[in-house]
C-alpha cells in the first residue's frame, strides 16, 4: 500500500517520537514536530488508524502498528541511503544533505532503493553515524556513549552525532571534528562542565557541555 508524502511524514515523526516505537506519543507532540495544528493531527491519525498504520484512541496516546513500524523503517532506510549517496558520490557536505534526502525519501520504488543500497556497497551507517535499516528493517547498532559521559583520560572515536542540524555540523567541521576522529578527554571544567579534549593531530580544544552532549563516542 502506498502512502502520501504527508502520511509518510506523520509515520516517521511518530516513530522518532515514540523512541523507535517503544512508547505512545500524544497529538500535541506530533503537532509541534510537524508544525501543524492538533486538530489536523487528529484527522490524520484517524486516517492512518483506518489503514492499520497506527493504534489510536481519542484522548490517548498513539503508537505504530507492526505494519506502521515497517513503513517508518523503510522511509528512514531511504533517507539514510540517499544521505550516504549525496555525501559519498555527489560530494555534498554532511550538513547539506538532510533537506535533499527529505525529498528523496518519498520515492516509492523498492527496486530503486535496493539498487541504491547495492551501488553503495550495502552501508550500515549514514554520514552522521546513524544506522541504516536493512530491507527487512534490521539495524546494526554501535556500542556508543555521549562524550559528556566520559571521564578524564578516557579516549574514543567519534561514531555519530545526536544533533544533525547544519549549524552544529558546520561547527564540528570548523573545529576539525568528524566521524572517525580520535578524542581524549584531558580535563573537565567544574564551573560549566565544559571539556578540554585532545584530537589525534595534537590539537587541543575546549568544548561546551552542550557540544559534548551531542557527540557519540565508541564505547
Amino acid at each position: 500500500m502506498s502512502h502520501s508524502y504527508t502520511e509518510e511524514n506523520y509515520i516517521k515523526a511518530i516513530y522518532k517520537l515514540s523512541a523507535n516505537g517503544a512508547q505512545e506519543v500524544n497529538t500535541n507532540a506530533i503537532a509541534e514536530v510537524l508544525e501543524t495544528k492538533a486538530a489536523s493531527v487528529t484527522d490524520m491519525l484517524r486516517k492512518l488508524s483506518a489503514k492499520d498504520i497506527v493504534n489510536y484512541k481519542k484522548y490517548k496516546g498513539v503508537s505504530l502498528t507492526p505494519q506502521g513500524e515497517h513503513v517508518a523503517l523503510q522511509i528512514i532506510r531511504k533517507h539514510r541511503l540517499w544521505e550516504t549517496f549525496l555525501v559519498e558520490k555527489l560530494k555534498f557536505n554532511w550538513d547539506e544533505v538532510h533537506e535533499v534526502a527529505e525529498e528523496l525519501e518519498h520515492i516509492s520504488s523498492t527496486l530503486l532503493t535496493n539498487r541504491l543500497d547495492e551501488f553503495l556497497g550495502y552501508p550500515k551507517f549514514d554520514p552522521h553515524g546513524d544506522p541504516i535499516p536493512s530491507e527487512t528493517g534490521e539495524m546494526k547498532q554501535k556500542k556508543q556513549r555521549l562524550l559528556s559521559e566520559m571521564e578524564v583520560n578516557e579516549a574514543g572515536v567519534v561514531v555519530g552525532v545526536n544533533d544533525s542540524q547544519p549549524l552544529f555540523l558546520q561547527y564540528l567541521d570548523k573545529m576539525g571534528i568528524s566521524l572517525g576522529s580520535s578524542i581524549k578527554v584531558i580535563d573537565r571544567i567544574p564551573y560549566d562542565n565544559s571539556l578540554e579534549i585532545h584530537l589525534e593531530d595534537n590539537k587541543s580544544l575546549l568544548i561546551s557541555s552542550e557540544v559534548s552532549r551531542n557527540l557519540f563516542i565508541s564505547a
Side-chain angles (χ1 to χ4, degrees), residues 142-180:
K142 292 178 180 176
K143 291 183 178 180
Q144 60 188 27
R145 56 179 169 158
L146 293 173
L147 177 58
S148 59
E149 298 170 351
M150 293 177 64
E151 302 294 336
V152 173
N153 291 323
E154 283 192 309
V157 175
V158 178
V159 294
V161 293
N162 198 32
D163 180 354
S164 57
Q165 294 183 76
L167 286 176
F168 180 62
L169 300 178
Q170 290 163 17
Y171 168 83
L172 294 181
D173 283 338
K174 187 173 182 179
M175 295 297 104
I177 300 172
S178 61
L179 295 186

Side-chain angles (χ1 to χ4, degrees), residues 144-152 154-156 158 160 172 177 183-186 188 193 195-197 199 207-209 211-218:
Q144 60 188 27
R145 56 179 169 158
L146 293 173
L147 177 58
S148 59
E149 298 170 351
M150 293 177 64
E151 302 294 336
V152 173
E154 283 192 309
V158 178
L172 294 181
I177 300 172
I183 288 180
K184 182 177 182 179
V185 178
I186 303 300
R188 182 183 298 274
N193 267 330
L195 296 178
E196 182 184 352
I197 62 171
L199 299 179
I207 61 172
S208 69
S209 60
V211 170
S212 68
R213 290 195 303 269
N214 282 293
L215 277 175
F216 286 117
I217 307 298
S218 57

